[in-house]
Amino acid sequence: MMYNSSCWAAPKSVLEKLDVVHRRHLRSILNYSYPNIISNKNLYSRCNAEPLSVRVDRNRWRMLGHVLRGPSNGPAHTSLVYAINTLGLPVESDDRNLTYFSLIQCDLR
C-alpha cells in the first residue's frame, strides 16, 4: 500500500482517505465492529502503528534528503535546482495544481 510513497504528491483529502482505510483494516484485525468502539488514538497505540499520512510525510522528507545528499551534477539534484530557480510556483490550495515541489514548499512553511 505504501510502495513508492516518497514520490507521491497526494492532496490531504487523499491522505485522509488512506488513513480511514488503514484504521478500518486495523479495526477488522482487532475484531472491533460497531457496538464495540475504540478511539483512533487508542487504536494506533494498541496496534503499535501510526497514521499512514505521517509515514508518507516522513518518506517524502527522506527522499528529499537523499536527493540533497546526492551528487550535485546528478539528474535528481539538477531537476530540483531547476525547479527552485525557475519555477517558483506559488502554493495554491487547489488540488488539481498540486505537484511534488509545491508540496515540499508547503511543508517548509
Side-chain angles (χ1 to χ4, degrees):
M1 189 181 324
M2 297 295 293
Y3 179 73
N4 209 14
S5 65
S6 59
C7 297
W8 291 355
K12 289 188 182 216
S13 60
V14 171
L15 293 177
E16 288 172 3
K17 290 177 184 178
L18 185 67
D19 286 339
V20 168
V21 169
H22 182 228
R23 286 191 300 265
R24 186 179 307 140
H25 288 160
L26 291 177
R27 282 188 175 96
S28 69
I29 289 170
L30 294 177
N31 201 16
Y32 276 94
S33 57
Y34 171 65
N36 305 326
I37 59 170
I38 184 170
S39 69
N40 294 338
K41 184 178 179 180
N42 289 338
L43 178 69
Y44 286 130
S45 66
R46 182 150 183 210
C47 293
N48 195 21
E50 62 185 359
L52 292 182
S53 59
V54 172
R55 290 178 59 188
V56 169
D57 288 342
R58 188 178 328 118
N59 289 345
R60 187 181 307 129
W61 282 103
R62 281 185 185 161
M63 176 59 89
L64 181 63
H66 177 72
V67 169
L68 293 176
R69 285 188 304 273
S72 60
N73 59 351
H77 194 274
T78 305
S79 63
L80 180 65
V81 169
Y82 172 78
I84 291 171
N85 291 336
T86 60
L87 296 178
L89 297 172
V91 177
E92 299 177 6
S93 61
D94 190 10
D95 289 346
R96 292 172 293 170
N97 296 330
L98 190 64
T99 62
Y100 186 78
F101 180 65
S102 64
L103 208 58
I104 294 295
Q105 277 185 333
C106 186
D107 286 345
L108 286 174
R109 292 183 182 181

